[in-house]
Amino acid sequence: MTPAVSRRKARARIDLRRLGRAALLGPASRDRLPDAISHVVDAHRAHHPDADLEPLRRAYVLAESSHRGQMRKSGEPYITHPLAVTLILAELGAETTTLTASLLHDTVEDTDVTLDQVGEQFGAEVRFLVDGVTKLEKVDYGAAAEPETFRKMLVATGNDVRVMSIKLADRLHNMRTLGVMRPEKQARIAKVTRDVLIPLAERLGVQALKTELEDLVFAILHPEEYEHTRELIVDNASRADDPLAEMADAMRKVLREADIQAEVLIRPRHFVSVHRVSRKRGRLRGADFGRLLVLVNEDADCYGVLGELHTCMTPVVSEFKDFIAVPKFNLYQSLHTAVAREDGQVTEVLIRTHQMHKVAEAGVVALGNPYAPPAEEQAAAASDGERADPTRPGWLSRLLDWQEAAPDPDTFWSTLREDLAQDREITVFRPDGGTLGLPEGATCVDAAYAQYGEDAHACIGARVNGRLATLSTVLRDGDTVQLLMGQDPASEPSREWLEHAHTPAARIAIQRWLAAHPSQGDAPGAEETRVLFRPTGDGSVGQETAAEGQAFRPAVEGPAGRYATADVLVDQPGATVRLAGCCTPVPPDEVTGFSVRGGVVTVHRVECAAVARMKSAGRAEIGVRWGDTTECRVTLVAESFVRPHLLADLTEAMALEGAEIVSATVEPPTQQRVRHTYTVQLPDAALLPGLMRAMRNVAGVYDVSRAQPQMQGA
Ligand code: MN
């Protein structure tokens, strides 16, 4: 065993010996807390000063008496294990219910205590948690790295993240005390920890547990690299100069002079982090062994600190990431930046509030009961202070927002479960330098909702790394994503977006919109892979199947739409007129009409293939003619060579001619050629020739034409 691990274990053992001795003395009298849980109580009180300690005392008494006589492999009384697990959780700020269940977590599995007994003595919530941990023990980790394993785990826990918290702490204590196992068993347990528990800790935001687990796994699975890393750290500690300390001092001075209250702390990197950095940068310098953490009181102070550091020191701007405006997926919030010293050494800086820090360290462990409805929460806050956890307004409220926005609780929990089941997180960049944290497998749809919330309904397309991409494009870590937003206030998401939405934020926003608009967004998405811009679906360009004359995409229409009856005069009183999407007639085109469902008359150009088909099917024509309005809507096809910025140049040229783009599709480029199809609204049909000329003048465009009338159903 390496010295560092021995040291860590020695430290853990000292605590455990003390706990074990206290445990052997037996439970204390009823009126005072057993000594053995005094550490737990102290840690719990530090986070929750008004917590009722009685359940902890009773849980300890039951756990101790039922485990009595059982020994850990190390020879210590078994009770030392639940005590140590509970201490880990108490130090992270877990609430009393979680700690009570944690003390009891192995009783049902390993002793005569029954679940019913736990329920009778500690209530349904504790029973539920103990049951979840017991079931979780039975989850097969065979396909360890599979997201499916997470799903199984979450199902096993009844979707309660508190069960996960207990499981993580349980695993941490078992890893700390793994030295007593045979090496093969150590390796096997370490691998499962690496493949399942560490990703889980990351997803649940429990940084403190994640980093310690990583180092423990590292020591077991890569003992040589671990030893090498340890030597690097020891050597660095013995160096005379300490650039991190110097930078911290300089930073404190800058912030003091700016009158910003802030704590500047040095955060040494954990072993795995040092190892990663050394792999990335080669020889390490002093500033590489840690990061500076600036803690402030208010959110706004974070930006104040950032401003001072960027003004008074030498920032490395490319390192700046705003995880406050756009929190990472596990709800972590911080500003990240870096500053350079005169000797070129770069120091990474994390800026966050105390509350953000607590969430960053403890993640879900500080969550409390995610199921308590807000009213109950407030009542509880008033009575015991437990619910007044300052981390809640941030990330818990976001969870609760999702829950509120979700059409039903099942949707919420299934999306959260999917979210937690995601393997890894990626970071993508916005053109403005900001970043978005997304789960692996996220698409442009997810990026749109992460960035714009419900306004993403108006998203019409995306560029990934400067190139046009479909909204279904799966993003990779480090991609730059530019989202193209439409101006149409009546924008709606497309149902097929659901298939490409992986994040709860996106799924819930889309589902919520669909729930509120039951008859809309039902486009079958036949040409989905070709759609870059989605149809706006304001009804006026609803595509039709020519044979049926039935709206492909039933949508808002009628007098409120742009194609009000005033534009077209129709020989059928009270009819709603719609211009056919297949041939997009424009004045002065020769037109004819057909009556379709719901009193709607669709207007086609007379040469449209659909007209011939409907006539041969015996459908009666209805007389239509253009009204006085000169406004028109037309579909244009631009053929061009592929080049960067083509889309931007083309749409800009169109806008300059007064055209409003209603919808567009871009087919995947073939042989360096690409076809754009735009439906545009023009204030005057007379502008059409000028518009087409302007489009042809855009570099790379070699042809612009009206959409062919027979394009549908051929
Ligand atoms: Mn256990």
Side-chain angles (χ1 to χ4, degrees), residues 78 81 105-106 170 174:
Y78 195 88
H81 168 66
H105 82 266
D106 280 331
D170 177 61
N174 286 335

Side-chain angles (χ1 to χ4, degrees), residues 326-349:
V326 186
K328 281 173 90 161
F329 212 67
N330 56 15
L331 305 169
Y332 169 90
Q333 285 187 296
S334 276
L335 298 180
H336 290 195
T337 190
V339 289
R341 277 170 30 127
E342 277 175 15
D343 66 359
Q345 291 204 53
V346 172
T347 306
E348 291 180 26
V349 187

Side-chain angles (χ1 to χ4, degrees), residues 187-201:
R188 190 174 59 76
I189 294 175
K191 277 180 189 152
V192 172
T193 303
R194 177 195 65 193
D195 293 343
V196 181
L197 279 307
I198 288 174
L200 185 67

Side-chain angles (χ1 to χ4, degrees), residues 425-713:
E425 184 176 293
I426 60 165
T427 301
V428 300
F429 297 91
R430 308 190 314 232
D432 63 4
T435 58
L436 296 171
L438 295 167
E440 192 166 72
T443 64
C444 294
V445 172
D446 295 302
Y449 283 92
Q451 184 167 347
Y452 292 105
E454 299 211 335
D455 291 343
H457 295 335
C459 186
I460 54 172
R463 271 190 193 162
V464 177
N465 300 327
R467 305 193 66 143
L468 298 175
T470 63
L471 285 174
S472 61
T473 300
V474 174
L475 298 168
R476 287 166 310 168
D477 202 25
D479 278 348
T480 297
V481 182
Q482 180 182 6
L483 296 158
L484 307 168
M485 302 301 284
Q487 302 300 317
D488 193 333
S491 293
E492 63 183 53
S494 160
R495 184 177 285 277
E496 72 232 25
W497 286 10
L498 268 184
E499 288 163 30
H500 309 303
H502 292 266
T503 56
R507 295 189 67 83
I508 288 172
I510 297 166
Q511 280 167 338
R512 187 187 193 184
W513 190 93
L514 292 170
H517 303 77
S519 67
Q520 297 176 38
D522 288 333
E527 290 183 80
E528 180 195 306
T529 54
R530 293 185 155 203
V531 173
L532 166 67
F533 296 105
R534 62 187 174 69
T536 60
D538 65 1
S540 47
V541 287
Q543 291 177 319
E544 299 180 2
T545 55
E548 299 278 327
Q550 171 189 342
F552 219 142
R553 186 185 180 86
V556 183
E557 57 178 278
R562 281 211 181 76
Y563 280 12
T565 47
D567 290 345
V568 180
L569 304 177
V570 57
D571 297 336
Q572 183 173 300
T576 301
V577 172
R578 187 165 54 219
L579 299 186
C582 48
C583 56
T584 55
V586 176
D589 291 341
E590 247 193 283
V591 287
T592 184
F594 291 91
S595 183
V596 296
R597 286 187 196 174
V600 175
V601 170
T602 58
V603 176
H604 294 259
R605 285 157 76 176
V606 291
E607 66 267 38
C608 176
V611 171
R613 263 196 302 276
M614 284 196 274
K615 281 210 278 200
S616 68
R619 303 276 291 267
E621 284 183 81
I622 291 171
V624 292
R625 59 190 184 280
W626 296 110
D628 293 330
T629 313
T630 56
E631 209 179 326
C632 82
R633 186 168 288 204
V634 61
T635 297
L636 298 172
V637 177
E639 308 274 358
S640 66
F641 297 105
V642 173
R643 70 165 174 84
H645 301 293
L646 173 67
L647 180 75
D649 295 347
L650 200 46
T651 51
E652 195 192 356
M654 293 165 76
L656 285 172
E657 294 298 316
E660 187 193 340
I661 297 171
V662 172
S663 74
T665 61
V666 178
E667 292 172 21
T670 48
Q671 296 179 335
Q672 293 304 302
R673 286 157 203 242
V674 64
R675 173 187 291 181
H676 301 225
T677 305
Y678 295 97
T679 297
V680 299
Q681 178 82 17
L682 280 171
D684 189 334
L687 294 172
L688 187 56
L691 170 66
M692 291 171 72
R693 219 171 17 248
M695 289 170 73
R696 279 191 204 102
N697 284 340
V698 171
V701 176
Y702 58 87
D703 193 23
V704 175
S705 57
R706 292 274 299 277
Q708 291 304 302
Q710 65 273 19
M711 67 187 277
Q712 278 287 312

Side-chain angles (χ1 to χ4, degrees), residues 72 78 81-82 85 102 105-106 110 133 137 166-167 169-171 173-174:
R72 295 273 287 170
Y78 195 88
H81 168 66
V85 171
S102 165
H105 82 266
D106 280 331
D110 297 339
V133 179
E137 288 301 318
I166 297 170
K167 181 66 203 173
D170 177 61
R171 177 53 64 109
H173 181 240
N174 286 335

Side-chain angles (χ1 to χ4, degrees), residues 366-446:
L367 173 64
N369 181 359
Y371 301 89
E376 193 184 313
E377 231 173 77
Q378 275 160 19
S383 66
D384 65 16
E386 255 191 57
R387 307 294 186 202
D389 184 329
T391 62
R392 292 182 164 227
W395 68 298
L396 179 57
S397 74
R398 255 196 313 278
L399 277 179
L400 294 174
D401 282 351
W402 286 350
Q403 188 166 28
E404 235 166 68
D408 58 79
D410 283 351
T411 304
F412 172 72
W413 285 114
S414 63
T415 47
L416 180 62
R417 201 163 61 225
E418 279 170 34
D419 153 23
L420 292 175
Q422 300 286 345
D423 263 319
R424 316 229 18 115
E425 184 176 293
I426 60 165
T427 301
V428 300
F429 297 91
R430 308 190 314 232
D432 63 4
T435 58
L436 296 171
L438 295 167
E440 192 166 72
T443 64
C444 294
V445 172
D446 295 302

